[in-house]
Amino acid sequence: GDSVTQMEGPVTLSEEAFLTINCTYTATGYPSLFWYVQYPGEGLQLLLKATKADDKGSNKGFEATYRKETTSFHLEKGSVQVSDSAVYFCALSEGTGGFKTIFGAGTRLFVKA
Amino acid sequence: DGGITQSPKYLFRKEGQNVTLSCEQNLNHDAMYWYRQDPGQGLRLIYYSQIVNDFQKGDIAEGYSVSREKKESFPLTVTSAQKNPTAFYLCASSMEREAADTQYFGPGTRLTVL
């Protein structure tokens, strides 16, 4: 079945450091890919998404490119801030007649001032 | 302001009691979902509903029940049959017109069994 694997955390960075959180997926078809972010004590919110191969999703300085050849959707940001501290979830969705979203286990990011 | 509300934010239950978690949305979304989140784990799907008066079991439906009598509302009951109910519960909704549709999440309810 479909699955999402993302790097284990926690990831601890200093402010202004470069961030990469790896995500790879397994799917039978051509899924849409998402990154969601969860701030402490809150629900998830969409960070960015990509719907087809070579698409790049971007938002708030974060980027991820849909790489079909490597089945990956790595999240990157050039310069993190303390306010980026959160848990990041990679996810995929595909299918017809009822879409199920598969979430990765989440990667916790701590950014130190 | 459109969005999803969940109540209560914190809930305590004694063993052997049923408890109902509320989820309401005013986004006019067709589909609604309930997830369970445990520390260090991803989200696991409990139930989902694509249309009023219809719902489907997710991956971990045992010990839970839902209803979808109105488009806006999708309450989850955690029954005494759920052996380990302490967790963070998230409700979500989406248009579900295509796989690329975003899910919108509520703020969650943290359930603790005493």
Side-chain angles (χ1 to χ4, degrees), chain A residues 36 38 41 43-44 49 93 98 101, chain B residues 9 37 50 99-100 103 105-106:
Chain A
Y36 286 85
Q38 184 179 32
L44 281 67
K49 68 180 180 183
S93 179
T101 300
Chain B
K9 191 168 178 64
Q37 184 179 22
Q50 295 172 262
Q103 291 199 11
F105 285 82

Side-chain angles (χ1 to χ4, degrees), chain B residues 28-87:
Chain B
N28 199 33
H29 285 167
D30 293 314
M32 297 187 74
Y33 312 81
W34 274 106
Y35 294 94
R36 172 181 171 138
Q37 184 179 22
D38 293 286
Q41 297 190 31
L43 278 65
R44 292 185 289 169
L45 183 64
I46 304 172
Y47 269 98
Y48 67 101
S49 168
Q50 295 172 262
I51 195 168
V52 174
N53 291 322
D54 187 46
F55 48 83
Q56 308 294 328
K57 292 182 178 180
D59 301 317
I60 56 164
E62 185 175 350
Y64 300 97
S65 66
V66 294
S67 63
R68 186 87 186 276
E69 297 176 1
K70 298 187 299 182
K71 187 175 186 178
E72 303 79 18
S73 179
F74 191 41
L76 173 74
T77 297
V78 184
T79 74
S80 57
Q82 170 50 235
K83 297 306 178 190
N84 185 21
T86 294

Side-chain angles (χ1 to χ4, degrees), chain A residues 67-108:
Chain A
R67 300 286 188 202
K68 186 170 180 294
E69 64 276 13
T70 55
T71 61
S72 65
F73 193 54
H74 304 322
L75 182 68
E76 296 182 336
K77 186 176 186 182
S79 177
V80 293
Q81 306 300 313
V82 172
S83 57
D84 294 326
S85 297
V87 181
Y88 293 83
F89 291 90
C90 185
L92 70 80
S93 179
E94 70 169 347
T96 56
F99 303 110
K100 283 183 63 176
T101 300
I102 309 297
F103 290 87
T107 301
R108 184 174 294 277

